[in-house]
Amino acid sequence: MFKRIMIANRGEIALRIMRCCTELGIETVLVYSSEDADSIPVQLCTQAVCIGPAAPAKSYLLAETIVQAAKAYHCEAIHPGFGFLSENAEFAELCQENGIEFIGPSAQMIRDMGDKQAARSRMRKSGVPVVPGSDGIVASAEEAKQIAEKIGYPVLLKASAGGGGRGMRTAFDADEIETAFESAQAEAQSAFGDGTMYLEKLILNPHHIEFQILGDKHGHIIHLGERDCSMQRRNQKLIEEAPAKCLTPKLRSAMAKAALRAASAVGYYSTGTVEFVLDHDGHFYFIEMNTRIQVEHPVTEMVTGVDLVKEQIRVAAGLKLSVKQSDIHIEGHAIECRINAENPAKNFAPSPGTVEFLHFPGGFQVRVESALYQGCRISPWYDSMAAKIIVHAPGRLEAIRRMRMALEETIIEGIDTNIDFLLLIMFNPDYMMGNFDTSYIESHTQGLLDWDRESRSEN
Ligand code: ADP
């Protein structure tokens, strides 16, 4: 096992990794930006190294600086967390060239899956169902129109380098293709420096179902069941749960098989997630594979009892997975809510600032993942996710009740948050019944906010 690793991330995920390392007896060196100098991870790590100012391009994305710091501080491996350099194949390669283990899959696997359009072709060849669409890249709006005529509208134009819901536009007819193509391409070019586009049929109001994969360097690949991440706003997940209420055992097993096939096609190791959209007729299609630890990994940990970060570190150190497929049993139901520093009533505008008072919930099977503390500043430079609350219970309705309790107990003063909005969802009959898909938040937001306003004025 490693003696000392570097954590190249910040906030709650840096803390999550650090806690795991402490348990494993591994020392941690944390790189941080001057903006995060007062953060909890900086206080708790073995050693902290400031690598630059707030702007990610001048700190958390400085691949060369981070690798040099890892060498100078005698780290044997680097954990990239999620976001930042976590899916950057050049960074994984740079680590390797410098004799440092990248805690994740190989650079080649990141490359194979990171080019979403190429991954799609590979998956199709491996017998994994993909969304009907273009055979390869789509070079122009004209070409996109021709393909759309063949497969039928509506369609989705997607950036091959896409991520975080960016570089994606829908088109419901030929007239819309022109603007959709241009704006998606421009967004992709500025966000990823790559405007390569492809096209998929838009599956109307699907479920987003993803399977957690775990593999080691000895050829073992297992899955740890699915998560339903359909509760999204602007393609960004807000609430995740496991297991997915909408799956029958037969469908679950077919999707798990496809997920394993997808991961095996690239000989995958480390933690990874195979994402599918599932339509209302029970057809499912691969959309992408994320080659890192996901924000929502705790829901899987709660229902399986497997520490995914620990497995990820063990695998990077060359050890075998500590669990076999036959050891994986899904127990009960887990839900995660992402608490963001944002104002739902102001179109979810980010709300950075100082946390003046803070109280997090506790209790049986309630888990909080956050690096917040009273008096801390939430920076406008980074993601607005401030905390994750995860609950586990024997059944879904009990988990919902536990989540209501946990959210009601949470107090974050000084900034705006989406806590009340999440609570409204937890009380919404459609959500409780499991009547939701990826269109839920878009179609329910106004109703939920009106409901809230009306009930407040009645009181
Ligand atoms: P990103 O990598 O930017 O997150 P994804 O390909 O994972 O992009 O898609 C993000 C979300 O967009 C999915 O969770 C799903 O809700 C929606 N989506 C993606 N592809 C399709 C599709 N072909 N039809 C309908 N919805 C889709």
Side-chain angles (χ1 to χ4, degrees):
M1 186 39 87
F2 304 120
K3 287 201 176 65
R4 173 183 283 214
I5 71 166
M6 170 163 281
I7 300 175
N9 215 300
R10 62 181 301 282
E12 66 89 16
I13 191 63
L15 195 52
R16 165 76 184 90
I17 299 162
M18 208 169 283
R19 285 172 172 152
C20 183
C21 290
T22 305
E23 255 182 66
L24 290 169
I26 301 172
E27 292 181 351
T28 51
V29 178
L30 179 77
V31 284
Y32 68 98
S33 76
S34 54
E35 185 82 352
D36 286 329
D38 297 330
S39 71
I40 290 190
V42 169
Q43 299 298 313
L44 293 185
C45 62
T46 317
Q47 264 183 307
V49 190
C50 184
I51 50 161
K58 293 181 176 166
S59 49
Y60 294 106
L61 291 173
L62 288 178
E64 186 68 44
T65 307
I66 292 172
V67 170
Q68 290 314 321
K71 278 169 81 173
Y73 283 81
H74 308 291
C75 298
E76 298 156 87
I78 300 183
H79 199 307
F82 47 65
F84 298 127
L85 294 167
S86 61
E87 289 180 291
N88 185 316
E90 285 80 47
F91 180 64
E93 223 153 49
L94 192 65
C95 290
Q96 199 184 358
E97 284 161 15
N98 283 276
I100 290 169
E101 201 60 46
F102 174 79
I103 303 180
S106 70
Q108 190 56 45
M109 293 168 198
I110 299 177
R111 229 171 242 132
D112 286 345
M113 288 300 186
D115 180 336
K116 290 167 72 172
Q117 174 278 123
R120 206 177 120 77
S121 304
R122 184 186 283 264
M123 290 304 116
R124 196 177 28 216
K125 286 190 193 114
S126 309
V128 178
V130 299
V131 189
S134 60
D135 261 341
I137 58 175
V138 177
S140 64
E142 209 42 53
E143 196 183 336
K145 273 185 210 168
Q146 284 165 14
I147 300 165
E149 290 304 329
K150 255 191 245 156
I151 61 167
Y153 287 94
V155 295
L156 191 57
L157 285 150
K158 293 172 100 170
S160 204
R166 283 174 302 172
M168 226 166 24
R169 294 287 185 283
T170 54
F172 282 77
D173 55 43
D175 288 344
E176 285 185 5
I177 286 232
E178 207 87 35
T179 25
F181 188 89
E182 272 164 32
S183 73
Q185 191 171 45
E187 187 172 275
Q189 188 64 45
S190 86
F192 315 111
D194 178 358
T196 310
M197 302 300 298
Y198 66 107
L199 183 145
E200 281 180 357
K201 193 167 176 59
L202 177 73
I203 307 298
L204 285 174
N205 308 334
H207 273 267
H208 172 115
I209 305 289
E210 59 184 36
F211 277 74
Q212 178 66 53
I213 297 291
L214 203 49
D216 65 21
K217 296 176 185 171
H218 303 273
H220 306 107
I221 303 183
I222 64 168
H223 76 86
L224 289 92
E226 80 284 0
R227 296 183 284 259
D228 187 330
C229 308
S230 305
M231 298 296 277
Q232 309 178 351
R233 191 179 159 271
R234 305 234 163 116
N235 300 317
Q236 293 275 15
K237 296 161 189 166
L238 186 64
I239 300 169
E240 301 96 342
E241 58 182 274
K245 190 175 184 297
C246 61
L247 294 189
T248 59
K250 198 171 154 208
L251 189 50
R252 174 173 294 117
S253 130
M255 292 181 82
K257 231 184 243 168
L260 284 175
R261 186 176 288 187
S264 304
V266 293
Y268 198 79
Y269 61 72
S270 191
T271 54
T273 301
V274 179
E275 299 191 335
F276 298 100
V277 282
L278 168 71
D279 73 13
H280 285 264
D281 298 321
H283 301 116
F284 62 89
Y285 309 95
F286 169 91
I287 48 171
E288 68 165 341
M289 179 168 188
N290 289 322
T291 53
R292 53 173 161 80
I293 192 86
Q294 305 262 114
V295 174
E296 60 272 24
H297 76 274
V299 290
T300 299
E301 295 184 325
M302 303 300 267
V303 294
T304 59
V306 175
D307 182 330
L308 290 168
V309 175
K310 195 179 282 180
E311 291 300 321
Q312 196 185 17
I313 296 172
R314 283 173 51 89
V315 167
L319 299 172
K320 288 184 182 159
L321 293 181
S322 66
V323 280
K324 297 190 294 294
Q325 189 67 67
S326 56
D327 298 328
I328 305 301
H329 303 288
I330 307 299
E331 301 266 353
H333 201 95
I335 303 177
E336 172 180 278
C337 280
R338 298 189 190 192
I339 297 183
N340 297 329
E342 63 187 14
N343 187 338
K346 289 189 185 150
N347 199 23
F348 297 85
S351 171
T354 300
V355 174
E356 273 148 24
F357 183 81
L358 180 70
H359 173 76
F360 275 134
F364 188 55
Q365 290 175 330
V366 175
R367 171 174 171 185
V368 178
E369 294 287 346
S370 175
L372 246 53
Y373 62 90
Q374 199 161 310
C376 78
R377 238 171 51 79
I378 295 184
S379 167
W381 281 97
Y382 309 114
D383 197 86
S384 63
M385 190 175 77
K388 307 186 300 204
I389 295 183
I390 307 104
V391 297
H392 187 210
R396 187 169 184 271
L397 284 176
E398 289 156 289
I400 291 175
R401 268 188 235 124
R402 188 158 285 160
M403 182 59 87
R404 288 179 189 161
M405 178 272 293
L407 290 169
E408 271 167 355
E409 234 184 73
T410 306
I411 306 171
I412 306 179
E413 283 176 3
I415 53 157
D416 293 321
T417 73
N418 61 345
I419 294 174
D420 286 351
F421 185 73
L422 291 164
L423 254 176
L424 288 168
I425 295 174
M426 290 297 135
F427 279 96
N428 181 261
D430 282 337
Y431 177 71
M432 286 164 62
M433 302 272 284
N435 293 334
F436 64 86
D437 54 38
T438 53
S439 68
Y440 175 97
I441 296 201
E442 203 71 46
S443 58
H444 281 68
T445 296
Q446 201 49 52
L448 289 170
L449 294 175
D450 290 346
W451 183 24
D452 190 34
R453 210 170 302 119
E454 279 158 26
S455 62
R456 276 168 204 256
S457 56
E458 274 164 24
N459 292 332

